[in-house]
Amino acid sequence: HSLAYQMLLEYEGIIGKKRLAEQLDKKSLLLRILKHAPKLNGMSYEGMQLRYGLLQTLLNCFSFIEKHGEAKFREVHWKKDVEGILRIKDFYDSSFRECGYITYEEQISEAVSLLIENPFILKREQLKHPYILIDEAQDLDTEQANLIRLLAGDTGNLMIVGDDDQAIFGFRGGSNQFMIRFREFYPAAEDMRL
């Protein structure tokens, strides 16, 4: 994540300024939106900024929608003002992008897009990273694996370390598949087992 974010900062002249949104940034943005949005039915506006207040409740709703989809949100949270929450989420999402914010997870996908859409940047980054070592390779997600494959290119100067039986981040999209299928991507790779 750090490497991806460094790339986004380095090339902001090309892709625009990207800022990693902290929890405080998210709540401040949402608070500004709520000041101008119609009131949500059945939701308390008292103690909005408290730990379990309206701001955090809405951010949790937004996360649920992004993870499970709008239809599932309607099904599970039918007692809430679903239409109002979805309207506020639309305002929030567009404002979030206008401010140049990205989420923690988007650091990698944004860096992958940067490299794919700008071959000269990809080549430059490959030259900056002639040798790559990945630890805990059993927990890479698809975007992380894509970033690694882009940076490693055809040189094959890539070493991964891990234990495919120790994958523990499946709930976050991690998988041991990149590690298991490593020889498919790099047929000349040497496999050393301890």
Side-chain angles (χ1 to χ4, degrees), residues 45-82:
Y45 279 71
E46 289 184 31
M48 284 177 41
Q49 299 182 47
L50 295 176
R51 187 174 187 182
Y52 300 106
L54 181 61
L55 296 180
Q56 190 59 52
T57 298
L58 287 172
L59 290 174
N60 292 343
C61 288
F62 299 169
S63 292
F64 185 96
I65 293 165
E66 288 165 13
K67 186 173 184 177
H68 303 288
E70 189 178 306
K72 187 71 171 175
F73 181 75
R74 287 178 187 280
E75 176 187 326
V76 172
H77 298 285
W78 57 272
K79 288 186 178 182
K80 293 186 187 281
D81 182 357
V82 173

mmCIF file of all heavy atoms in Angstrom, residues 45-82:
data_model
loop_
_atom_site.group_PDB
_atom_site.id
_atom_site.type_symbol
_atom_site.label_atom_id
_atom_site.label_comp_id
_atom_site.label_asym_id
_atom_site.label_seq_id
_atom_site.Cartn_x
_atom_site.Cartn_y
_atom_site.Cartn_z
ATOM 1 N N TYR A 45 -30.351 12.854 14.971
ATOM 2 C CA TYR A 45 -29.301 13.811 14.632
ATOM 3 C C TYR A 45 -28.607 14.322 15.893
ATOM 4 O O TYR A 45 -27.714 15.143 15.810
ATOM 5 C CB TYR A 45 -29.890 14.966 13.823
ATOM 6 C CG TYR A 45 -30.070 14.618 12.358
ATOM 7 C CD1 TYR A 45 -31.048 13.726 11.940
ATOM 8 C CD2 TYR A 45 -29.251 15.183 11.391
ATOM 9 C CE1 TYR A 45 -31.213 13.398 10.611
ATOM 10 C CE2 TYR A 45 -29.403 14.858 10.053
ATOM 11 C CZ TYR A 45 -30.383 13.966 9.665
ATOM 12 O OH TYR A 45 -30.524 13.649 8.347
ATOM 13 N N GLU A 46 -29.021 13.820 17.039
ATOM 14 C CA GLU A 46 -28.358 14.204 18.284
ATOM 15 C C GLU A 46 -27.089 13.380 18.434
ATOM 16 O O GLU A 46 -27.076 12.191 18.152
ATOM 17 C CB GLU A 46 -29.294 13.965 19.476
ATOM 18 C CG GLU A 46 -30.455 14.933 19.523
ATOM 19 C CD GLU A 46 -31.306 14.732 20.760
ATOM 20 O OE1 GLU A 46 -30.773 14.328 21.802
ATOM 21 O OE2 GLU A 46 -32.518 14.987 20.655
ATOM 22 N N GLY A 47 -26.033 14.019 18.885
ATOM 23 C CA GLY A 47 -24.765 13.313 19.068
ATOM 24 C C GLY A 47 -24.233 12.722 17.778
ATOM 25 O O GLY A 47 -23.671 11.628 17.767
ATOM 26 N N MET A 48 -24.410 13.459 16.679
ATOM 27 C CA MET A 48 -24.029 12.956 15.358
ATOM 28 C C MET A 48 -22.587 12.473 15.290
ATOM 29 O O MET A 48 -22.274 11.527 14.591
ATOM 30 C CB MET A 48 -24.217 14.055 14.297
ATOM 31 C CG MET A 48 -25.641 14.277 13.917
ATOM 32 S SD MET A 48 -25.902 15.625 12.737
ATOM 33 C CE MET A 48 -24.603 15.472 11.578
ATOM 34 N N GLN A 49 -21.697 13.151 16.001
ATOM 35 C CA GLN A 49 -20.277 12.857 15.881
ATOM 36 C C GLN A 49 -19.773 11.862 16.925
ATOM 37 O O GLN A 49 -18.595 11.537 16.944
ATOM 38 C CB GLN A 49 -19.483 14.149 15.960
ATOM 39 C CG GLN A 49 -19.842 15.107 14.823
ATOM 40 C CD GLN A 49 -19.029 16.364 14.850
ATOM 41 O OE1 GLN A 49 -17.826 16.311 14.991
ATOM 42 N NE2 GLN A 49 -19.696 17.502 14.722
ATOM 43 N N LEU A 50 -20.671 11.366 17.770
ATOM 44 C CA LEU A 50 -20.272 10.389 18.773
ATOM 45 C C LEU A 50 -19.910 9.063 18.107
ATOM 46 O O LEU A 50 -20.202 8.836 16.927
ATOM 47 C CB LEU A 50 -21.388 10.188 19.795
ATOM 48 C CG LEU A 50 -21.734 11.409 20.651
ATOM 49 C CD1 LEU A 50 -22.911 11.111 21.557
ATOM 50 C CD2 LEU A 50 -20.520 11.856 21.464
ATOM 51 N N ARG A 51 -19.318 8.199 18.885
ATOM 52 C CA ARG A 51 -18.831 6.924 18.364
ATOM 53 C C ARG A 51 -19.907 6.138 17.613
ATOM 54 O O ARG A 51 -19.638 5.499 16.609
ATOM 55 C CB ARG A 51 -18.275 6.099 19.517
ATOM 56 C CG ARG A 51 -17.607 4.841 19.097
ATOM 57 C CD ARG A 51 -16.967 4.167 20.265
ATOM 58 N NE ARG A 51 -16.188 3.041 19.813
ATOM 59 C CZ ARG A 51 -15.547 2.243 20.601
ATOM 60 N NH1 ARG A 51 -15.584 2.436 21.900
ATOM 61 N NH2 ARG A 51 -14.870 1.232 20.129
ATOM 62 N N TYR A 52 -21.121 6.129 18.117
ATOM 63 C CA TYR A 52 -22.217 5.407 17.470
ATOM 64 C C TYR A 52 -23.279 6.367 16.938
ATOM 65 O O TYR A 52 -24.442 5.996 16.802
ATOM 66 C CB TYR A 52 -22.836 4.402 18.453
ATOM 67 C CG TYR A 52 -21.839 3.377 18.928
ATOM 68 C CD1 TYR A 52 -21.308 3.436 20.209
ATOM 69 C CD2 TYR A 52 -21.405 2.372 18.076
ATOM 70 C CE1 TYR A 52 -20.369 2.504 20.642
ATOM 71 C CE2 TYR A 52 -20.470 1.438 18.489
ATOM 72 C CZ TYR A 52 -19.953 1.507 19.780
ATOM 73 O OH TYR A 52 -19.023 0.582 20.184
ATOM 74 N N GLY A 53 -22.858 7.582 16.627
ATOM 75 C CA GLY A 53 -23.776 8.591 16.131
ATOM 76 C C GLY A 53 -24.088 8.420 14.653
ATOM 77 O O GLY A 53 -23.655 7.467 14.000
ATOM 78 N N LEU A 54 -24.829 9.389 14.141
ATOM 79 C CA LEU A 54 -25.303 9.336 12.757
ATOM 80 C C LEU A 54 -24.168 9.239 11.739
ATOM 81 O O LEU A 54 -24.262 8.486 10.771
ATOM 82 C CB LEU A 54 -26.175 10.562 12.461
ATOM 83 C CG LEU A 54 -26.769 10.639 11.061
ATOM 84 C CD1 LEU A 54 -27.678 9.443 10.784
ATOM 85 C CD2 LEU A 54 -27.530 11.942 10.882
ATOM 86 N N LEU A 55 -23.082 9.984 11.948
ATOM 87 C CA LEU A 55 -21.992 9.954 10.969
ATOM 88 C C LEU A 55 -21.432 8.541 10.819
ATOM 89 O O LEU A 55 -21.274 8.039 9.703
ATOM 90 C CB LEU A 55 -20.878 10.928 11.363
ATOM 91 C CG LEU A 55 -21.245 12.412 11.382
ATOM 92 C CD1 LEU A 55 -20.050 13.251 11.787
ATOM 93 C CD2 LEU A 55 -21.778 12.862 10.029
ATOM 94 N N GLN A 56 -21.118 7.909 11.936
ATOM 95 C CA GLN A 56 -20.558 6.558 11.866
ATOM 96 C C GLN A 56 -21.583 5.564 11.345
ATOM 97 O O GLN A 56 -21.254 4.665 10.575
ATOM 98 C CB GLN A 56 -20.042 6.114 13.240
ATOM 99 C CG GLN A 56 -19.236 4.828 13.178
ATOM 100 C CD GLN A 56 -18.038 4.937 12.264
ATOM 101 O OE1 GLN A 56 -17.224 5.847 12.373
ATOM 102 N NE2 GLN A 56 -17.924 4.008 11.311
ATOM 103 N N THR A 57 -22.835 5.747 11.731
ATOM 104 C CA THR A 57 -23.904 4.862 11.242
ATOM 105 C C THR A 57 -23.990 4.934 9.720
ATOM 106 O O THR A 57 -24.073 3.904 9.040
ATOM 107 C CB THR A 57 -25.258 5.248 11.867
ATOM 108 O OG1 THR A 57 -25.162 5.088 13.288
ATOM 109 C CG2 THR A 57 -26.391 4.389 11.329
ATOM 110 N N LEU A 58 -23.954 6.141 9.173
ATOM 111 C CA LEU A 58 -24.029 6.289 7.717
ATOM 112 C C LEU A 58 -22.791 5.727 7.028
ATOM 113 O O LEU A 58 -22.903 5.057 5.993
ATOM 114 C CB LEU A 58 -24.233 7.759 7.345
ATOM 115 C CG LEU A 58 -25.633 8.299 7.623
ATOM 116 C CD1 LEU A 58 -25.688 9.801 7.399
ATOM 117 C CD2 LEU A 58 -26.678 7.587 6.782
ATOM 118 N N LEU A 59 -21.624 5.972 7.591
ATOM 119 C CA LEU A 59 -20.402 5.413 6.992
ATOM 120 C C LEU A 59 -20.455 3.889 6.997
ATOM 121 O O LEU A 59 -20.020 3.242 6.034
ATOM 122 C CB LEU A 59 -19.160 5.929 7.711
ATOM 123 C CG LEU A 59 -18.847 7.408 7.489
ATOM 124 C CD1 LEU A 59 -17.683 7.853 8.372
ATOM 125 C CD2 LEU A 59 -18.544 7.706 6.023
ATOM 126 N N ASN A 60 -21.010 3.314 8.059
ATOM 127 C CA ASN A 60 -21.184 1.859 8.100
ATOM 128 C C ASN A 60 -22.170 1.400 7.026
ATOM 129 O O ASN A 60 -21.961 0.362 6.386
ATOM 130 C CB ASN A 60 -21.661 1.412 9.483
ATOM 131 C CG ASN A 60 -20.606 1.590 10.556
ATOM 132 O OD1 ASN A 60 -19.422 1.757 10.268
ATOM 133 N ND2 ASN A 60 -21.035 1.570 11.802
ATOM 134 N N CYS A 61 -23.248 2.159 6.836
ATOM 135 C CA CYS A 61 -24.210 1.841 5.775
ATOM 136 C C CYS A 61 -23.534 1.890 4.412
ATOM 137 O O CYS A 61 -23.737 0.996 3.575
ATOM 138 C CB CYS A 61 -25.394 2.812 5.807
ATOM 139 S SG CYS A 61 -26.527 2.599 7.189
ATOM 140 N N PHE A 62 -22.725 2.916 4.174
ATOM 141 C CA PHE A 62 -22.031 3.047 2.892
ATOM 142 C C PHE A 62 -21.113 1.854 2.654
ATOM 143 O O PHE A 62 -21.047 1.310 1.547
ATOM 144 C CB PHE A 62 -21.214 4.339 2.834
ATOM 145 C CG PHE A 62 -22.022 5.613 2.961
ATOM 146 C CD1 PHE A 62 -21.381 6.815 3.155
ATOM 147 C CD2 PHE A 62 -23.401 5.614 2.893
ATOM 148 C CE1 PHE A 62 -22.089 7.999 3.270
ATOM 149 C CE2 PHE A 62 -24.136 6.793 3.005
ATOM 150 C CZ PHE A 62 -23.470 7.984 3.200
ATOM 151 N N SER A 63 -20.399 1.441 3.691
ATOM 152 C CA SER A 63 -19.501 0.283 3.564
ATOM 153 C C SER A 63 -20.294 -0.978 3.243
ATOM 154 O O SER A 63 -19.874 -1.786 2.411
ATOM 155 C CB SER A 63 -18.715 0.067 4.857
ATOM 156 O OG SER A 63 -17.815 1.119 5.061
ATOM 157 N N PHE A 64 -21.422 -1.148 3.912
ATOM 158 C CA PHE A 64 -22.278 -2.311 3.649
ATOM 159 C C PHE A 64 -22.722 -2.317 2.189
ATOM 160 O O PHE A 64 -22.682 -3.350 1.528
ATOM 161 C CB PHE A 64 -23.499 -2.287 4.582
ATOM 162 C CG PHE A 64 -24.367 -3.505 4.454
ATOM 163 C CD1 PHE A 64 -24.213 -4.561 5.326
ATOM 164 C CD2 PHE A 64 -25.339 -3.592 3.455
ATOM 165 C CE1 PHE A 64 -25.011 -5.702 5.212
ATOM 166 C CE2 PHE A 64 -26.135 -4.716 3.332
ATOM 167 C CZ PHE A 64 -25.972 -5.774 4.206
ATOM 168 N N ILE A 65 -23.148 -1.161 1.688
ATOM 169 C CA ILE A 65 -23.615 -1.058 0.300
ATOM 170 C C ILE A 65 -22.492 -1.394 -0.664
ATOM 171 O O ILE A 65 -22.691 -2.124 -1.636
ATOM 172 C CB ILE A 65 -24.191 0.348 0.020
ATOM 173 C CG1 ILE A 65 -25.469 0.557 0.838
ATOM 174 C CG2 ILE A 65 -24.456 0.547 -1.463
ATOM 175 C CD1 ILE A 65 -25.930 2.012 0.924
ATOM 176 N N GLU A 66 -21.299 -0.883 -0.408
ATOM 177 C CA GLU A 66 -20.171 -1.157 -1.304
ATOM 178 C C GLU A 66 -19.782 -2.628 -1.285
ATOM 179 O O GLU A 66 -19.389 -3.183 -2.309
ATOM 180 C CB GLU A 66 -18.981 -0.275 -0.919
ATOM 181 C CG GLU A 66 -19.210 1.173 -1.294
ATOM 182 C CD GLU A 66 -18.249 2.143 -0.625
ATOM 183 O OE1 GLU A 66 -17.234 1.692 -0.055
ATOM 184 O OE2 GLU A 66 -18.535 3.347 -0.664
ATOM 185 N N LYS A 67 -19.901 -3.254 -0.136
ATOM 186 C CA LYS A 67 -19.495 -4.655 -0.012
ATOM 187 C C LYS A 67 -20.563 -5.614 -0.525
ATOM 188 O O LYS A 67 -20.260 -6.596 -1.190
ATOM 189 C CB LYS A 67 -19.171 -4.970 1.442
ATOM 190 C CG LYS A 67 -18.614 -6.345 1.660
ATOM 191 C CD LYS A 67 -18.161 -6.547 3.083
ATOM 192 C CE LYS A 67 -17.525 -7.916 3.244
ATOM 193 N NZ LYS A 67 -17.017 -8.143 4.572
ATOM 194 N N HIS A 68 -21.848 -5.352 -0.202
ATOM 195 C CA HIS A 68 -22.920 -6.306 -0.494
ATOM 196 C C HIS A 68 -23.898 -5.851 -1.568
ATOM 197 O O HIS A 68 -24.728 -6.645 -2.009
ATOM 198 C CB HIS A 68 -23.704 -6.609 0.783
ATOM 199 C CG HIS A 68 -22.854 -7.130 1.890
ATOM 200 N ND1 HIS A 68 -22.309 -8.396 1.883
ATOM 201 C CD2 HIS A 68 -22.430 -6.552 3.036
ATOM 202 C CE1 HIS A 68 -21.601 -8.585 2.985
ATOM 203 N NE2 HIS A 68 -21.653 -7.476 3.701
ATOM 204 N N GLY A 69 -23.855 -4.581 -1.939
ATOM 205 C CA GLY A 69 -24.750 -4.083 -2.971
ATOM 206 C C GLY A 69 -26.003 -3.423 -2.414
ATOM 207 O O GLY A 69 -26.395 -3.641 -1.266
ATOM 208 N N GLU A 70 -26.596 -2.629 -3.269
ATOM 209 C CA GLU A 70 -27.779 -1.855 -2.901
ATOM 210 C C GLU A 70 -28.984 -2.749 -2.604
ATOM 211 O O GLU A 70 -29.742 -2.499 -1.664
ATOM 212 C CB GLU A 70 -28.102 -0.889 -4.039
ATOM 213 C CG GLU A 70 -29.148 0.121 -3.732
ATOM 214 C CD GLU A 70 -29.376 1.074 -4.900
ATOM 215 O OE1 GLU A 70 -28.402 1.682 -5.387
ATOM 216 O OE2 GLU A 70 -30.547 1.187 -5.308
ATOM 217 N N ALA A 71 -29.161 -3.809 -3.384
ATOM 218 C CA ALA A 71 -30.315 -4.693 -3.190
ATOM 219 C C ALA A 71 -30.256 -5.365 -1.825
ATOM 220 O O ALA A 71 -31.278 -5.450 -1.122
ATOM 221 C CB ALA A 71 -30.372 -5.744 -4.302
ATOM 222 N N LYS A 72 -29.100 -5.839 -1.441
ATOM 223 C CA LYS A 72 -28.953 -6.489 -0.132
ATOM 224 C C LYS A 72 -29.174 -5.482 0.993
ATOM 225 O O LYS A 72 -29.770 -5.801 2.022
ATOM 226 C CB LYS A 72 -27.560 -7.129 -0.018
ATOM 227 C CG LYS A 72 -27.367 -7.954 1.213
ATOM 228 C CD LYS A 72 -28.177 -9.235 1.132
ATOM 229 C CE LYS A 72 -27.825 -10.171 2.268
ATOM 230 N NZ LYS A 72 -28.670 -11.351 2.295
ATOM 231 N N PHE A 73 -28.710 -4.239 0.785
ATOM 232 C CA PHE A 73 -28.931 -3.194 1.782
ATOM 233 C C PHE A 73 -30.424 -2.954 1.974
ATOM 234 O O PHE A 73 -30.910 -2.852 3.092
ATOM 235 C CB PHE A 73 -28.219 -1.896 1.375
ATOM 236 C CG PHE A 73 -28.377 -0.788 2.375
ATOM 237 C CD1 PHE A 73 -27.677 -0.800 3.569
ATOM 238 C CD2 PHE A 73 -29.239 0.273 2.128
ATOM 239 C CE1 PHE A 73 -27.831 0.223 4.503
ATOM 240 C CE2 PHE A 73 -29.403 1.303 3.042
ATOM 241 C CZ PHE A 73 -28.689 1.272 4.240
ATOM 242 N N ARG A 74 -31.159 -2.875 0.870
ATOM 243 C CA ARG A 74 -32.617 -2.675 0.940
ATOM 244 C C ARG A 74 -33.280 -3.829 1.706
ATOM 245 O O ARG A 74 -34.185 -3.617 2.497
ATOM 246 C CB ARG A 74 -33.214 -2.589 -0.463
ATOM 247 C CG ARG A 74 -32.920 -1.316 -1.194
ATOM 248 C CD ARG A 74 -33.518 -1.371 -2.604
ATOM 249 N NE ARG A 74 -33.119 -0.244 -3.393
ATOM 250 C CZ ARG A 74 -33.670 0.958 -3.318
ATOM 251 N NH1 ARG A 74 -34.654 1.180 -2.483
ATOM 252 N NH2 ARG A 74 -33.232 1.942 -4.085
ATOM 253 N N GLU A 75 -32.806 -5.040 1.431
ATOM 254 C CA GLU A 75 -33.385 -6.222 2.060
ATOM 255 C C GLU A 75 -33.114 -6.259 3.574
ATOM 256 O O GLU A 75 -34.016 -6.512 4.366
ATOM 257 C CB GLU A 75 -32.785 -7.468 1.396
ATOM 258 C CG GLU A 75 -33.211 -8.779 1.988
ATOM 259 C CD GLU A 75 -32.439 -9.943 1.386
ATOM 260 O OE1 GLU A 75 -32.094 -9.886 0.178
ATOM 261 O OE2 GLU A 75 -32.176 -10.901 2.130
ATOM 262 N N VAL A 76 -31.877 -5.982 3.955
ATOM 263 C CA VAL A 76 -31.480 -6.099 5.358
ATOM 264 C C VAL A 76 -31.921 -4.897 6.187
ATOM 265 O O VAL A 76 -32.319 -5.045 7.342
ATOM 266 C CB VAL A 76 -29.948 -6.295 5.459
ATOM 267 C CG1 VAL A 76 -29.460 -6.223 6.897
ATOM 268 C CG2 VAL A 76 -29.532 -7.613 4.814
ATOM 269 N N HIS A 77 -31.866 -3.711 5.600
ATOM 270 C CA HIS A 77 -32.144 -2.475 6.345
ATOM 271 C C HIS A 77 -33.442 -1.799 5.895
ATOM 272 O O HIS A 77 -33.518 -0.582 5.803
ATOM 273 C CB HIS A 77 -30.953 -1.514 6.204
ATOM 274 C CG HIS A 77 -29.690 -2.052 6.772
ATOM 275 N ND1 HIS A 77 -29.453 -2.122 8.120
ATOM 276 C CD2 HIS A 77 -28.594 -2.576 6.175
ATOM 277 C CE1 HIS A 77 -28.263 -2.650 8.332
ATOM 278 N NE2 HIS A 77 -27.723 -2.937 7.170
ATOM 279 N N TRP A 78 -34.461 -2.586 5.646
ATOM 280 C CA TRP A 78 -35.709 -2.064 5.111
ATOM 281 C C TRP A 78 -36.403 -1.090 6.053
ATOM 282 O O TRP A 78 -37.207 -0.274 5.620
ATOM 283 C CB TRP A 78 -36.644 -3.205 4.724
ATOM 284 C CG TRP A 78 -36.948 -4.135 5.868
ATOM 285 C CD1 TRP A 78 -36.226 -5.234 6.232
ATOM 286 C CD2 TRP A 78 -38.021 -4.044 6.792
ATOM 287 N NE1 TRP A 78 -36.776 -5.839 7.326
ATOM 288 C CE2 TRP A 78 -37.901 -5.122 7.704
ATOM 289 C CE3 TRP A 78 -39.082 -3.156 6.950
ATOM 290 C CZ2 TRP A 78 -38.784 -5.342 8.743
ATOM 291 C CZ3 TRP A 78 -39.979 -3.364 7.991
ATOM 292 C CH2 TRP A 78 -39.824 -4.444 8.876
ATOM 293 N N LYS A 79 -36.070 -1.122 7.341
ATOM 294 C CA LYS A 79 -36.693 -0.195 8.285
ATOM 295 C C LYS A 79 -36.077 1.197 8.224
ATOM 296 O O LYS A 79 -36.656 2.154 8.714
ATOM 297 C CB LYS A 79 -36.587 -0.736 9.718
ATOM 298 C CG LYS A 79 -37.485 -1.914 10.000
ATOM 299 C CD LYS A 79 -37.425 -2.299 11.456
ATOM 300 C CE LYS A 79 -38.358 -3.448 11.762
ATOM 301 N NZ LYS A 79 -38.334 -3.798 13.187
ATOM 302 N N LYS A 80 -34.902 1.301 7.654
ATOM 303 C CA LYS A 80 -34.226 2.601 7.560
ATOM 304 C C LYS A 80 -34.780 3.405 6.380
ATOM 305 O O LYS A 80 -35.461 2.867 5.511
ATOM 306 C CB LYS A 80 -32.720 2.403 7.375
ATOM 307 C CG LYS A 80 -32.022 1.791 8.577
ATOM 308 C CD LYS A 80 -30.531 1.773 8.338
ATOM 309 C CE LYS A 80 -29.775 1.041 9.402
ATOM 310 N NZ LYS A 80 -29.543 1.722 10.609
ATOM 311 N N ASP A 81 -34.446 4.656 6.325
ATOM 312 C CA ASP A 81 -34.801 5.529 5.209
ATOM 313 C C ASP A 81 -33.832 5.225 4.061
ATOM 314 O O ASP A 81 -32.884 5.966 3.802
ATOM 315 C CB ASP A 81 -34.704 6.994 5.650
ATOM 316 C CG ASP A 81 -35.102 7.971 4.556
ATOM 317 O OD1 ASP A 81 -35.400 7.539 3.425
ATOM 318 O OD2 ASP A 81 -35.099 9.185 4.845
ATOM 319 N N VAL A 82 -34.054 4.104 3.396
ATOM 320 C CA VAL A 82 -33.130 3.605 2.379
ATOM 321 C C VAL A 82 -32.913 4.625 1.268
ATOM 322 O O VAL A 82 -31.772 4.906 0.881
ATOM 323 C CB VAL A 82 -33.615 2.254 1.803
ATOM 324 C CG1 VAL A 82 -32.755 1.820 0.628
ATOM 325 C CG2 VAL A 82 -33.616 1.184 2.885
#
